[in-house]
């Protein structure tokens, strides 16, 4: 290989194409989905979330440069027993002013306070209420989600990162019955501690 000739050809091409160097239409008509960031609602944005956000957005930029349509998904941790615990804690010790003033810090404080064995059943009961569509539980959960997402978006704005989807775990809640029915038909479920598991 003639390195001098290769260097000259590559550098000439870079100087000619400038910011378009390496660009192609190889991805035209194709879609790439990137799952990135995915923080848990009501908890601080961690270094792992920051890392996957930056890496995911860098990968997105490369794909866009190659002509792909990119869908960035922020699959939020926004469902589960921890929200039953949060609802219980907020109802027991909650303060609206503190919640609005610093949502993540305050919700984390409530979660830590309620995450004791003595409150385990209370958390499970409130999550069951949430799953069953209890209006009060849903209203509090939505409020926690909106306030948390608002805080996260401040970080995304600094990073200049956007998402095409903020659907989290809760988005799939009304789609689970079909999955459970399919698993039952295939005899893949067993009962454990009152729950059906795979």
């Amino acid at each position: 290989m003639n390195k001098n000739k290769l260097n000259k050809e590559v550098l000439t091409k870079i100087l000619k194409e400038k910011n378009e160097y390496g660009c192609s239409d190889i991805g035209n008509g194709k879609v790439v989905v990137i799952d990135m960031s995915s923080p848990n609602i009501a908890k601080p944005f961690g270094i792992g979330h920051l890392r996957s956000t930056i890496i995911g957005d860098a990968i997105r930029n490369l794909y866009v440069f190659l002509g792909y349509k990119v869908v960035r998904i922020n699959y939020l941790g926004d469902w589960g027993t921890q929200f039953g615990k949060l609802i219980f804690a907020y109802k027991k010790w909650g303060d609206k002013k503190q919640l609005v003033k610093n949502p993540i810090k305050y919700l984390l404080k409530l979660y830590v306070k309620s995450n004791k064995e003595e409150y385990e059943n209370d958390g499970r009961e409130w999550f069951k209420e949430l799953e069953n569509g209890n209006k009060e539980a849903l209203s509090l959960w939505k409020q926690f989600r909106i306030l948390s997402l608002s805080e996260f978006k401040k970080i995304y704005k600094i990073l200049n990162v956007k998402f095409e989807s903020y659907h989290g775990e809760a988005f799939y809640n009304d789609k689970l019955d079909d999955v459970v029915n399919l698993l039952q038909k295939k005899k893949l479920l067993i009962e454990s501690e009152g729950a059906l598991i795979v």
Side-chain angles (χ1 to χ4, degrees):
M1 179 172 65
N2 184 330
K3 290 185 180 179
N4 289 335
K5 187 176 180 185
L6 178 64
N7 289 343
K8 185 177 179 183
E9 285 178 8
V10 170
L11 291 173
T12 301
K13 194 170 183 186
I14 290 170
L15 290 170
K16 182 181 175 188
E17 296 179 13
K18 296 188 168 70
N19 289 340
E20 294 303 309
Y21 177 74
C23 183
S24 86
D25 61 358
I26 193 171
N28 278 358
K30 298 176 185 169
V31 179
V32 171
V33 178
I34 302 175
D35 177 7
M36 53 195 261
S37 199
S38 305
N40 293 320
I41 295 300
K43 291 186 180 171
F45 197 89
I47 190 71
H49 303 118
L50 182 63
R51 182 183 63 229
S52 72
T53 301
I54 292 169
I55 291 171
D57 207 51
I59 292 169
R60 177 254 178 205
N61 293 341
L62 291 171
Y63 274 114
V64 167
F65 204 58
L66 297 174
Y68 289 86
K69 176 185 175 186
V70 179
V71 178
R72 290 163 291 185
I73 294 176
N74 196 343
Y75 185 68
L76 302 168
D78 65 355
W79 202 249
T81 306
Q82 68 268 30
F83 294 99
K85 290 178 181 180
L86 265 179
I87 292 166
F88 163 75
Y90 187 77
K91 286 184 62 53
K92 188 168 178 69
W93 304 293
D95 181 324
K96 177 86 171 171
K97 285 181 185 174
Q98 287 189 57
L99 175 65
V100 173
K101 183 180 176 185
N102 196 337
I104 303 289
K105 188 176 180 181
Y106 185 64
L107 288 170
L108 181 63
K109 180 180 170 184
L110 286 177
Y111 179 74
V112 169
K113 196 171 182 178
S114 70
N115 200 20
K116 294 181 178 153
E117 198 173 321
E118 63 190 285
Y119 303 127
E120 195 67 32
N121 286 336
D122 298 300
R124 281 196 180 127
E125 285 174 22
W126 272 105
F127 181 58
K128 184 76 176 144
E129 290 296 320
L130 186 59
E131 285 184 305
N132 291 337
N134 176 294
K135 286 183 181 179
E136 183 182 17
L138 278 171
S139 175
L140 286 171
W141 171 80
K142 283 177 185 173
Q143 187 177 12
F144 299 159
R145 190 182 191 281
I146 289 166
L147 289 169
S148 297
L149 198 50
S150 175
E151 291 299 304
F152 296 153
K153 283 182 178 180
K154 291 175 186 175
I155 296 169
Y156 298 136
K157 186 174 182 182
I158 292 167
L159 297 173
N160 194 27
V161 173
K162 296 184 175 113
F163 295 91
E164 282 69 40
S165 170
Y166 283 96
H167 292 309
E169 297 162 343
F171 175 75
Y172 298 94
N173 196 39
D174 63 352
K175 296 155 186 57
L176 292 177
D177 286 343
D178 291 339
V179 175
V180 171
N181 290 335
L182 179 64
L183 291 170
Q184 281 177 324
K185 283 179 187 173
K186 293 186 178 241
K187 300 187 185 325
L188 295 172
L189 295 177
I190 59 170
E191 190 172 328
S192 174
E193 298 178 27
L196 293 174
I197 64 166
V198 176

